[in-house]
Amino acid sequence: MNSLKTEPATSASTRAIIVAVAADIILILAFAAIGRDAHHREEPVLGVLLTAWPFLAGATAGWLVARVWRTPLSVLRAGVPVWLGSLIGGMVLRALTAQTVVLPFIIVATLALAVFLLGYRLLLAGAARLRRR
């Protein structure tokens, strides 16, 4: 009677979750680092973390609200909620903690986070389609 046995989560799905979490964190940190470097800010490591934390918190909210772990590499079901969570949550948290939130920064963050958080998911989806052919 195999019907009583439960199969553990496949390593591919666990791997996909780990890849997506790591990629989202690394790319948000890269966004913060690039922005700080462009403005010649001091304290490279601590400064990047201070800049990134609101966006990381927003991305976490996006993960939780959309249950991204179910399809972590999906562009629509994962990428869009993580992008919007990081963007909106990040800007709200920055405003609440008296950090700069100005229109040019919102525009740059919107575009950069979209390219980063949607981009790798689009590339992986395209690669998967090519492999299926």
Side-chain angles (χ1 to χ4, degrees), residues 3-112:
S3 63
L4 297 178
K5 291 184 181 181
T6 57
E7 294 292 321
T10 62
S11 61
S13 65
T14 301
R15 191 174 319 134
I17 294 168
I18 292 168
V19 165
V21 167
D24 289 344
I25 291 169
I26 290 166
L27 291 168
I28 291 170
L29 289 171
F31 160 72
I34 291 166
R36 290 189 65 81
D37 184 59
H39 295 285
H40 307 290
R41 305 281 186 196
E42 298 296 321
E43 302 178 38
V45 176
L46 182 59
V48 168
L49 294 175
L50 288 172
T51 300
W53 81 262
F55 300 101
L56 291 168
T60 301
W63 267 80
L64 294 173
V65 168
R67 299 178 185 183
V68 169
W69 57 88
R70 292 179 175 180
T71 55
L73 299 175
S74 167
V75 176
L76 294 176
R77 292 186 188 137
V80 171
V82 173
W83 167 51
L84 292 176
S86 66
L87 177 66
I88 296 166
M91 292 302 169
V92 168
L93 288 170
R94 284 180 64 87
L96 292 174
T97 57
Q99 296 182 53
T100 304
V101 179
V102 294
L103 184 58
F105 178 60
I106 294 170
I107 293 168
V108 168
T110 299
L111 296 174

